[in-house]
Amino acid sequence: MTPLVYVLEEQIRDLLSQTGDVRLVDGVAYGFDDWTVFHAYTEKPYSTPSGRICPCVAMRSDAAGFVDEEKLMLQVRSRVDPDGDPIVVLLAGTDAGGSPSCRALVLTEKGVAGADARFVPRRSELFSRNTGLLETSALADKKVVIVGLGSGGSPIALELARAGIGHFTLIDFDRLELGNISRHVCGVNDLGRYKTLAVRDQVLQKNPYAKVSTMEINVNQSLGQVEDAVAACDLLIVASDNDQSRFNLNQMSLNNNKVTLYGRAITRAAGGDVLRVRPWKGPCYNCVFSSGLIDGREEEMSQKRQALAVLPAYVEEDKINTMIQVGLSSDIAPIANMMVKMALVELSRGIETGMSTVDEDLASDFYVWANRREEAYANWPRMGFKWTHPSILRWYGARIDRDLDCLVCGGHLEEEPTT
């Protein structure tokens, strides 16, 4: 088959914008499926693809120095030592209408083969399927901080990237362990990596135009750094796995008047809940989780680190592993998906989008989800055919008022404070 070569349109535009006698530019390509598909770059990509690396060179087709294809290939061979691997050659130009174009050739030991060059389009085209629901030109400027990049935070990051969010700050100090893989968006190739860096690469695969910064720090030990990030964001999303970090982040969100979403799974992912905090307009995290309202909803323990924190130092390994609770990725997905919906509502506020009706429906600040009739939901009736009683696999909004005696937010007036 004719090889396929994918190229970022923005990089070809940059190459064409250069002035003077532009010679060969050294890039890099990644080959897939027995060298039948290539992703070519004029400069090394920020997020490394998973294919086999091979040389790539690029030039403007109108540049001086090459009068024909044969001379070009001789020049390429003298410049690159491919060790038997193919060499991808990109020739950038413009079409009759003045738009950028690109011709691709693949040089192998057998000779030169023409390739089908295809652009990875600009941002506006990459997210064209969102038009009418979300205007990506507006979301591209939105800044989101996500704390906790595990089984909940990682899919949230990817969904927001798919929606066209342009700026991410990812905060987590954990590395990917083998036990994480079955519920995480990253795979075995990312074992041992910081979750922030592995998820960053996944985000850039969905939105190569996103700006992603990472912080491999413990929130509770780096309060100043985290608060600086919170102060600069449009939305804070908390998917961390301990209450201390959530209480600290709650204080930061109030200090900086930032809308915050908190989501978690409870024991063995039997269910979970999502809290939206709109500072001074509704309950804060402390109002809800220090009121006794959620007694018996034990937080899920999914990390070895969590088990070690509550067990004596001499406990055997099998006891530690027993404390780490099982739970399916599909049990986490509804909670993450709800947080994505609520995040997009908040980020598109004031913009004419198809999310406005969702905003009208999400009148509650606190939502409960049940996956199975066990733990906190053990006494719920079977789903059956009734919709008038609580059951599994449905969201329930709870009316929770702000606690004016709350030790964190109760000392402020109900209206939004002026700064």
Side-chain angles (χ1 to χ4, degrees), residues 119-294:
F119 278 144
V120 177
R122 291 181 292 176
R123 187 199 315 267
S124 59
E125 297 174 55
L126 188 62
F127 300 104
S128 60
R129 294 292 182 89
N130 297 341
T131 303
L133 287 175
L134 291 169
E135 301 306 325
T136 55
S137 59
L139 295 183
D141 295 328
K142 297 296 184 179
K143 299 177 181 178
V144 176
V145 171
I146 303 177
V147 181
L149 278 302
S151 55
S154 60
I156 291 171
L158 260 63
E159 289 299 327
L160 293 180
R162 289 184 176 108
I165 304 303
H167 298 265
F168 294 84
T169 298
L170 308 178
I171 304 177
D172 198 319
F173 66 96
D174 274 335
R175 295 179 183 271
L176 274 164
E177 301 173 358
L178 188 60
N180 302 141
I181 299 303
S182 64
R183 303 200 315 184
H184 204 274
V185 299
C186 297
V188 293
N189 289 344
D190 292 309
L191 282 173
R193 299 184 66 193
Y194 280 113
K195 292 178 180 178
T196 50
L197 301 180
V199 173
R200 175 203 63 189
D201 289 353
Q202 294 289 327
V203 166
L204 292 173
Q205 288 291 309
K206 298 299 180 185
N207 181 0
Y209 305 106
K211 305 298 181 184
V212 185
S213 61
T214 67
M215 300 171 69
E216 293 72 44
I217 58 177
N218 185 326
V219 167
N220 303 317
Q221 298 173 5
S222 306
L223 298 178
Q225 287 178 262
V226 176
E227 184 148 9
D228 287 344
V230 171
C233 77
D234 295 299
L235 180 69
L236 171 61
I237 296 175
V238 181
S240 59
D241 59 12
N242 72 88
D243 258 346
Q244 183 183 0
S245 65
R246 293 195 187 104
F247 282 113
N248 282 328
L249 290 161
N250 179 61
Q251 186 65 65
M252 294 179 199
S253 73
L254 296 174
N255 292 346
N256 296 280
N257 196 30
K258 301 296 182 180
V259 177
T260 305
L261 302 177
Y262 299 86
R264 63 173 195 156
I266 67 166
T267 313
R268 298 177 65 244
D273 45 56
V274 176
L275 171 67
R276 175 184 62 206
V277 173
R278 291 171 173 164
W280 324 114
K281 297 178 182 179
C284 77
Y285 188 86
N286 191 72
C287 290
V288 177
F289 288 88
S290 294
S291 64
L293 176 68
I294 55 166

Side-chain angles (χ1 to χ4, degrees), residues 317-354:
E317 186 77 12
D318 59 346
K319 176 65 173 177
I320 296 172
N321 292 332
T322 300
M323 287 199 66
I324 301 174
Q325 298 158 359
V326 297
L328 300 177
S329 175
S330 58
D331 288 338
I332 306 297
I335 302 166
N337 186 57
M338 182 62 156
M339 295 182 74
V340 171
K341 294 284 188 184
M342 296 176 76
L344 293 176
V345 165
E346 295 300 323
L347 293 169
S348 60
R349 190 173 300 283
I351 306 170
E352 286 295 329
T353 71

